[in-house]
Amino acid sequence: MAAAEEDRFSLRVMTVKGRNKVLYAEIDCDFADVLFSFLTLPLGKIMRLLIQHYGNNAPILGSLKSLYVGLENLDSCHFWTEAGKLMLLDPRNSSEIQCSRLKLQIYDIDPMQCFVCRNGTCASMHHRVKCVCLNPNSSSTTMKRFIEIEHRSGDKGVFTVQTASFLLTDNLMVLPDSPISLLWLFKLYGIEDTNVLEERTLIVGLKEIMELLKGSLVSSTPLTDIFLGISTVASTFKTRKEYLMSAIPEPDDLSSTPMKINVKVVVQSSTNRILLAQTREDFVDFLFSLLTIPLGSVQSLLDNKTCFWSINNLYRSISNLEIGEHIKSEETVDRLLEPELPLYYLSSSQIFPLGEQSSPELYRLFNSNRIKYFESTPRDVWHEMNMIDPTGKDCFVKGPTTFTVTDDLVVSIPSSTSMISILNQMKIPLSDVEVQELDIGIEEALSLLRASLISTQALTDGLKPFLKTQPRDQK
Ligand SMILES: [Zn+2]
């Protein structure tokens, strides 16, 4: 997909002579909006975009890629509705209306749409959903008619104020474009003499923006990587280990989420490595729901201390910008720092205290196909529509069913051969294997979320601190 001429940015980039380093780029409000929109993307959408763009070379992002590919391979019969599986594979973004106004869109945002039943009284955001007003046994109850929803579009700009301009540092800090920011940057990077600076103008299109999205997650110097073609590794194995051993952020309010999900784990006693988990649908639903959480909310849940080092900087920048001068409004700040889940994405198995968009008030004009949003009850020529939950049951995964989950979060239906092949492959004697039960509450869930972003052994790294026994000395 070639970006049109207007979908490109011309950036003035300042590099340091002899150091192979980008110091900063000057960016306008349109570029800042694209960058901030990363925080509104759900983890599953990010994974989908990276796989679509990079194919087999897509970064694995801890266990997220294996979780996503496992979801893709799990038969639709394990979901209450086919629509539910599709919602997880291509999660919506609750800021789609705002993101549809971005100068450069990293994916095609469908116009807000709904499917309407034959009677014109039920509506759903997804097709392959059965309506409630017609005979449920008739095949004609599937929503077929597609209607585009009208919404107000008087609002200009996206997240930042239209006159604002910014400096973007190599590690994705966004600073107001001012002499003071510049001096602060020079001091930070030990620039004594401005003669060492070299200016370049670079054209940035879709390809570079995708590189920036990828770089924001895997690199601590994404601008240098992209513009000077020098790739750096964000973290060594040692810092990764240290990071995973640091304390988990305290959840804000433990009492508000009393839910616990029981999981049986098969543990190698000598190392406390979790070989696999045997679980019910609630835990699988929780795992798949990780893919629906917007990046900004992941940062918020983990107190902005994720392994996405550059995203931590981008996220922190928002709080340091002035509302009205740089960022549009308080509501915009909330939209970026704690994005809600889209409507119908909050599963009953969700352990985290996340918000969900409220139901749109959809009305259909009498004797017409016009469907429109209203914030308050309109005149009686408009009829309120039945909104149908496309997941069917307040959650995605169908039960009662038993599933197995591997250390890298691949979900499948249990088979006796999978356990035997793991033991053979890893050369583990049966005497070294035990089964433990864990109750996954908010602390365990936060630890698992953090590990899933960085580790290909997410179950072990996330749940090891909660196992009942310490590993025996390994001979
Ligand atoms: Zn209907």
Side-chain angles (χ1 to χ4, degrees), residues 158-290:
V158 186
F159 305 117
T160 59
V161 172
Q162 285 202 298
T163 50
S165 58
F166 305 91
L167 301 179
L168 175 66
T169 66
D170 197 10
N171 57 5
L172 300 194
M173 276 188 282
V174 178
L175 310 168
D177 187 358
S178 74
I180 291 178
S181 300
L182 209 53
L183 283 176
W184 181 80
L185 257 184
F186 290 160
K187 269 214 155 73
L188 186 70
Y189 287 100
I191 307 288
E192 299 281 342
D193 176 3
T194 52
N195 285 324
V196 301
L197 299 178
E198 195 170 29
E199 188 187 310
R200 303 182 189 198
T201 301
L202 297 166
I203 302 298
V204 173
L206 181 67
K207 181 174 163 276
E208 289 77 16
I209 294 292
M210 277 308 296
E211 286 283 304
L212 201 54
L213 174 64
K214 184 178 99 175
S216 70
L217 303 166
V218 301
S219 169
S220 49
T221 54
L223 295 194
T224 296
D225 297 359
I226 298 162
F227 298 135
L228 301 183
I230 297 161
S231 79
T232 50
V233 178
S235 61
T236 63
F237 182 67
K238 186 164 169 266
T239 57
R240 244 194 359 237
K241 273 271 178 232
E242 272 168 17
Y243 166 75
L244 281 168
M245 281 162 70
S246 63
I248 306 154
E250 274 299 305
D252 282 346
D253 185 6
L254 281 172
S255 58
S256 65
T257 49
M259 191 174 30
K260 297 253 183 194
I261 298 178
N262 185 268
V263 174
K264 287 193 181 77
V265 288
V266 180
V267 184
Q268 181 183 18
S269 316
S270 59
T271 58
N272 260 9
R273 176 154 183 198
I274 297 177
L275 304 177
L276 60 79
Q278 183 176 309
T279 75
R280 300 306 289 261
E281 63 281 0
D282 48 1
F283 185 67
V284 172
D285 203 85
F286 164 73
L287 283 181
F288 286 152
S289 292
L290 295 180

Side-chain angles (χ1 to χ4, degrees), residues 52-67:
Q52 278 175 347
H53 194 84
Y54 295 102
N56 289 336
N57 296 324
I60 54 168
L61 302 183
S63 296
L64 288 182
K65 189 173 174 184
S66 39
L67 175 66

Side-chain angles (χ1 to χ4, degrees), residues 117-123 131-134 141 143 386 388:
C117 76
R118 207 152 41 92
N119 281 355
T121 49
C122 308
C131 96
V132 292
C133 73
L134 291 161
T141 54
M143 311 265 182
N386 291 325
I388 314 272

